[in-house]
Amino acid sequence: MSALELGRQRSCAAVLGSLLTAALLVTAHSLCPPPPRSLSAEPKQRLEGTELFPFGHRMEFVCRPGYGRSARTPNVLICGVDGLWHGPSDICTPKECRYPGEPANGRLVPPGALTFGSKVNFTCNTGYRLIGHSEIECVLRNEVPTWNRDIPTCQAIPCAPPPEIANGQHSGTDKDHFQYGDSVTYQCHRPRRGERPFSLLGEASIFCTSTDNLNGVWSSPAPECKVVTCKQPRVENGKLLSRYQPDYSFGDTVVFDCHLRYSLSGSEASTCRDSGLWEPPLPLCQRSSCDDPPDVRNAVKTKLAGNLFPVGTVVTYECQQGHQFQAGKTTWDIICLQGFVWSEVPPPCQRIPCPDPHIPNGKLLHPWQVKEVYESGDRLEVACSEGFALKGRGSSVTLRCGSDGEWDPAVPECIPEPRCPKPDIPHGKEVHKSSSDYTVGAQVRLACEEGFALRGKSSSITCGADLSWEPEVPFCDRVCGPPPEITFGQHSGRGGREFSYGTKVTYSCAEGLSLVGDESLYCTSEDGRSLAWSGPAPACRAVRCPKPVVERGRMTPQMFTFPYGLLLHFSCEQGFVLRGAAQSQCLADGTWHPPVPTCQPVQCPRLPRQDDVVINFNKMWYEVNETVTFYCRRDGRLGAPSKTTCSADGTWTPPPTCRKSDVCEKVLQNKAAFQCGIPLSDLKTQLEIQKLLLEIQKLEKELKITTHG
């Protein structure tokens, strides 16, 4: 064999080896071992030993007994490239048993589900015991899931009859069977006459219960009926709060309390027991307080917390106002000692005196207040002598002897009295003064001379503490005297004596008279110094003007009397015009001013001259409703006659004017229609009518031309 062939064989062997190695590697990574055993499913084909399955192998499963196929779940596992089985894990699910029901007087303790292999437990209600097995299991019988046994029953737990007792009986004598929860009550027989009653010792009622939930037992032993008596209860220094009985038997309870100043030691309540003794033992009443603290004259007790005073209690006495136990001491303490006695009895409280007050340049206002010894509560009213005043106070001060032996306020000092300046005012005078000098507090009343009046806040002023007058000193101002009186009348200032500058008074007359002259006068000044009334007083007279008569006229207001000062307004009927003033007033001399007017007929003036208007006869004035004929001149010829009439307002209707040519007139009419804002629809109709009119005029001209031809 040549070297070339030997080399080719070696190369092919190497390639073949590489392919075999790759195939082995692929095979080693894609083989799946037998799938793990499932409780609910198994392979449809029985597996032989520990064979391996290639990649992509499909293994079909069937359900084991007691399990069924899951809906819409495939029953195949596939060997994957990773050597693991892939597919659903819930191919088969356990079958269910029917609901077993619950026993009477019991209940079922449900599991997660009533499926193949699950177990159910039962319990009984309180007072019942379980008969049978407490647990059943869901098993497979003849390929059908069912329970492995019947459910148990619950039976009431029985008790033996309650025991009988001597000298008594229970309430269950008419029953033969007792079960859990039943109860009986014992009571003792009634005693014969002259015998002591029986007492029930123990629980009066017992009931059937259970400690193991199987067998019944009574809750406690049966009581006994015995004759039990206790001694009459007595507590020294104590009192019985409960009802008194001549004899006390088992179960009777007494309650005690102690007398005042004694405290209870032990229990306040005791009960007669079956031993014939009181339990707990009767209490003791022991001394616990001093007696009430003694009374002390002119003193009161303070810091009292009730009416009991145990050892160590301190009671404080305080003297009444103006009193003391001794110099400077107004309180006293006592204490309750161990033997329940007070440490001492305080002395009585004595009044505190005040010293005799001595005031230089001062005096006592009321002699009956003077005493040899001044005690707390005494009062003295003091003032200063003439020309002196109390320092920092009013004209007098009341001193009160205090509880501390001092005067309140302190004894004052009299010092020379300050004064206000004399209140001099021009044209004024003092009419009253409360004291001989102008000292603080002095009051002065001022007034003015005739023809002057006081101006200021008040006519009375008082000297203040700052040595100024309060309110400020007024001044005297000139005034007008009473205004002049008038006969048969009066003025608004009646009763006044002084009238200040600018005052106005108004006059009025008695009914039926007229006021002639100025109605009001003013207090005024012409030279700026003296004051006088602004003019003479008016007079009250009987002034009557004649009734005004205006033919074809009217007056307002309509009146029947015409006194002085009355103002009337005049107007004329239609067609007449007023000649004269439109209003007139009644004067003091009984005449009207201006004179009463008249109503004259309305006239129209002569027609104005116009170039194109021809009037044959033209007067200066025309009466109302009078008519004038005139002619219009066009192109040198007179037109048809026209008429105008004199109206009631003095104007010519219609105005005597001549119209322009028809074409111009129509243009002006159209222009006026546009300017007046005539609606377009109406304007259009008007234009059509004018057009029709022009056409008619054109036809008329043509007819005239034809006729002349």
Side-chain angles (χ1 to χ4, degrees):
M1 181 180 296
S2 65
L4 182 58
E5 292 178 351
L6 182 59
R8 184 181 294 116
Q9 289 178 357
R10 288 178 178 176
S11 178
C12 290
V15 172
L16 182 59
S18 299
L19 293 173
L20 288 174
T21 301
L24 288 173
L25 289 173
V26 171
T27 303
H29 283 285
S30 63
L31 293 179
C32 291
R37 188 179 186 281
S38 171
L39 294 176
S40 60
E42 60 184 352
K44 188 174 182 180
Q45 293 182 355
R46 188 177 183 82
L47 300 179
E48 299 294 340
T50 57
E51 55 183 314
L52 299 176
F53 299 91
F55 164 70
H57 181 77
R58 298 170 61 87
M59 185 176 294
E60 187 177 357
F61 284 81
V62 294
C63 294
R64 295 183 185 275
Y67 294 86
R69 281 285 306 279
S70 297
R72 293 186 298 277
T73 303
N75 63 335
V76 174
L77 296 181
I78 300 173
C79 178
V81 69
D82 54 358
L84 300 176
W85 293 99
H86 297 273
S89 59
D90 54 347
I91 295 174
C92 299
T93 56
K95 296 180 179 179
E96 291 188 358
C97 284
R98 63 179 176 80
Y99 182 69
E102 290 183 333
N105 301 309
R107 62 189 181 89
L108 176 147
V109 181
L114 303 177
T115 57
F116 173 71
S118 63
K119 296 179 180 180
V120 175
N121 290 294
F122 294 89
T123 60
C124 291
N125 298 339
T126 302
Y128 293 85
R129 59 187 179 184
L130 197 71
I131 305 300
H133 293 278
S134 63
E135 183 180 81
I136 61 176
E137 183 180 0
C138 182
V139 298
L140 202 64
R141 288 181 182 170
N142 300 326
E143 300 299 325
V144 177
T146 185
W147 298 104
N148 62 341
R149 60 175 66 90
D150 293 334
I151 65 174
T153 60
C154 291
Q155 182 187 57
I157 299 175
C159 271
E164 302 293 334
I165 61 171
N167 302 315
Q169 63 183 20
H170 59 74
S171 59
T173 55
D174 57 342
K175 292 180 65 174
D176 295 328
H177 302 286
F178 297 86
Q179 63 185 30
Y180 186 94
D182 289 343
S183 66
V184 294
T185 301
Y186 288 86
Q187 62 181 9
C188 296
H189 296 319
R190 291 185 178 180
R192 297 193 183 100
R193 182 175 296 178
E195 293 182 350
R196 292 183 179 274
F198 292 101
S199 298
L200 192 69
L201 309 180
E203 296 291 340
S205 297
I206 59 177
F207 57 90
C208 178
T209 184
S210 178
T211 58
D212 57 2
N213 287 329
L214 292 175
N215 301 305
V217 293
W218 292 100
S219 57
S220 60
E224 297 180 84
C225 287
K226 291 183 178 181
V227 176
V228 178
T229 58
C230 287
K231 290 183 179 181
Q232 192 68 233
R234 287 185 174 82
V235 176
E236 188 176 0
N237 296 313
K239 54 187 175 182
L240 182 67
L241 298 181
S242 57
R243 185 173 62 87
Y244 169 78
Q245 298 177 207
D247 296 307
Y248 291 89
S249 57
F250 173 78
D252 290 340
T253 298
V254 292
V255 179
F256 281 91
D257 192 11
C258 293
H259 294 147
L260 186 64
R261 319 291 184 210
Y262 290 85
S263 296
L264 198 71
S265 178
S267 174
E268 65 177 5
S270 296
T271 303
C272 182
R273 298 299 182 188
D274 54 1
S275 62
L277 301 177
W278 292 100
E279 292 183 8
L282 295 176
L284 297 176
C285 285
Q286 299 174 332
R287 182 80 176 187
S288 61
S289 170
C290 283
D291 291 331
D292 286 339
D295 292 331
V296 176
R297 185 162 53 90
N298 298 323
V300 294
K301 291 168 277 206
T302 62
K303 301 181 181 177
L304 296 181
N307 57 0
L308 296 179
F309 308 95
V311 172
T313 300
V314 176
V315 174
T316 300
Y317 290 85
E318 288 186 0
C319 289
Q320 294 177 354
Q321 192 171 10
H323 295 76
Q324 62 184 6
F325 287 107
Q326 57 193 34
K329 184 174 183 179
T330 58
T331 62
W332 198 291
D333 293 339
I334 63 174
I335 188 170
C336 180
L337 302 178
Q338 288 292 339
F340 298 105
V341 294
W342 293 105
S343 57
E344 58 183 318
V345 178
C349 294
Q350 305 295 332
R351 276 188 175 271
I352 302 174
C354 285
D356 185 13
H358 175 67
I359 306 175
N361 301 312
K363 59 184 178 180
L364 298 176
L365 294 182
H366 307 297
W368 63 83
Q369 294 180 334
V370 178
K371 298 174 66 176
E372 292 185 3
V373 177
Y374 295 99
E375 299 177 337
S376 175
D378 289 342
R379 298 174 183 269
L380 289 175
E381 188 172 1
V382 298
C384 292
S385 302
E386 188 76 20
F388 293 86
L390 294 171
K391 185 178 181 179
R393 303 183 186 276
S395 60
S396 67
V397 64
T398 299
L399 304 180
R400 182 179 179 277
C401 181
S403 59
D404 55 356
E406 299 291 337
W407 290 101
D408 182 35
V411 178
E413 178 185 357
C414 288
I415 60 175
E417 193 169 16
R419 294 170 174 79
C420 285
K422 182 178 180 180
D424 281 332
I425 57 174
H427 307 289
K429 58 185 177 180
E430 295 179 6
V431 294
H432 174 74
K433 186 162 60 174
S434 63
S435 64
S436 61
D437 211 342
Y438 304 110
T439 56
V440 175
Q443 289 186 339
V444 177
R445 190 164 70 248
L446 303 171
C448 292
E449 299 172 355
E450 186 75 20
F452 292 84
L454 207 63
R455 296 285 183 262
K457 293 184 179 179
S458 174
S459 62
S460 294
I461 56 177
T462 303
C463 182
D466 59 352
L467 303 183
S468 64
W469 292 102
E470 297 176 359
E472 60 188 13
V473 178
F475 66 94
C476 289
D477 187 19
R478 291 185 182 273
V479 294
C480 288
E485 300 292 337
I486 62 172
T487 307
F488 308 115
Q490 61 185 10
H491 56 74
S492 58
R494 184 174 47 182
R497 304 302 306 167
E498 298 172 347
F499 296 84
S500 59
Y501 180 79
T503 301
K504 171 186 175 182
V505 293
T506 302
Y507 287 84
S508 61
C509 292
E511 186 175 1
L513 299 181
S514 298
L515 192 70
V516 179
D518 292 333
E519 181 186 22
S520 299
L521 297 182
Y522 297 85
C523 179
T524 183
S525 174
E526 294 184 358
D527 57 5
R529 292 188 301 274
S530 59
L531 298 183
W533 291 103
S534 57
C540 290
R541 299 178 187 171
V543 177
R544 302 180 183 89
C545 284
K547 178 180 179 180
V549 178
V550 180
E551 294 185 2
R552 310 302 295 260
R554 295 181 293 268
M555 68 176 177
T556 56
Q558 287 290 337
M559 302 291 290
F560 297 97
T561 60
F562 305 92
Y564 168 76
L566 178 66
L567 182 67
L568 294 179
H569 296 266
F570 298 93
S571 61
C572 294
E573 297 176 358
Q574 188 174 4
F576 291 82
V577 65
L578 201 66
R579 294 285 186 268
Q583 59 184 18
S584 182
Q585 189 174 24
C586 180
L587 300 182
D589 59 359
T591 63
W592 292 100
H593 179 77
V596 177
T598 60
C599 287
Q600 301 296 329
V602 174
Q603 291 180 325
C604 291
R606 66 185 296 171
L607 293 176
R609 292 180 60 84
Q610 298 180 62
D611 294 338
D612 55 350
V613 176
V614 177
I615 303 172
N616 291 334
F617 178 76
N618 199 1
K619 297 189 300 182
M620 287 297 296
W621 295 100
Y622 293 86
E623 301 296 330
V624 174
N625 295 327
E626 190 174 354
T627 300
V628 174
T629 301
F630 65 95
Y631 301 87
C632 290
R633 182 185 290 114
R634 288 181 184 171
D635 300 330
R637 292 182 298 175
L638 294 180
S642 298
K643 292 183 179 182
T644 181
T645 303
C646 180
S647 300
D649 59 356
T651 62
W652 291 100
T653 304
T657 58
C658 291
R659 293 187 301 174
K660 305 298 179 183
S661 63
D662 293 344
V663 176
C664 292
E665 185 68 23
K666 291 179 176 56
V667 171
L668 292 176
Q669 289 178 355
N670 293 339
K671 181 180 179 182
F674 278 111
Q675 291 176 347
C676 291
I678 296 175
L680 292 177
S681 58
D682 296 347
L683 183 60
K684 181 179 179 182
T685 303
Q686 182 178 348
L687 293 174
E688 289 178 350
I689 293 173
Q690 291 180 1
K691 181 181 178 183
L692 181 60
L693 180 61
L694 292 174
E695 291 178 353
I696 291 172
Q697 292 177 350
K698 181 181 179 182
L699 289 173
E700 288 178 348
K701 288 182 179 180
E702 291 176 351
L703 287 173
K704 288 180 179 180
I705 294 171
T706 304
T707 303
H708 287 298

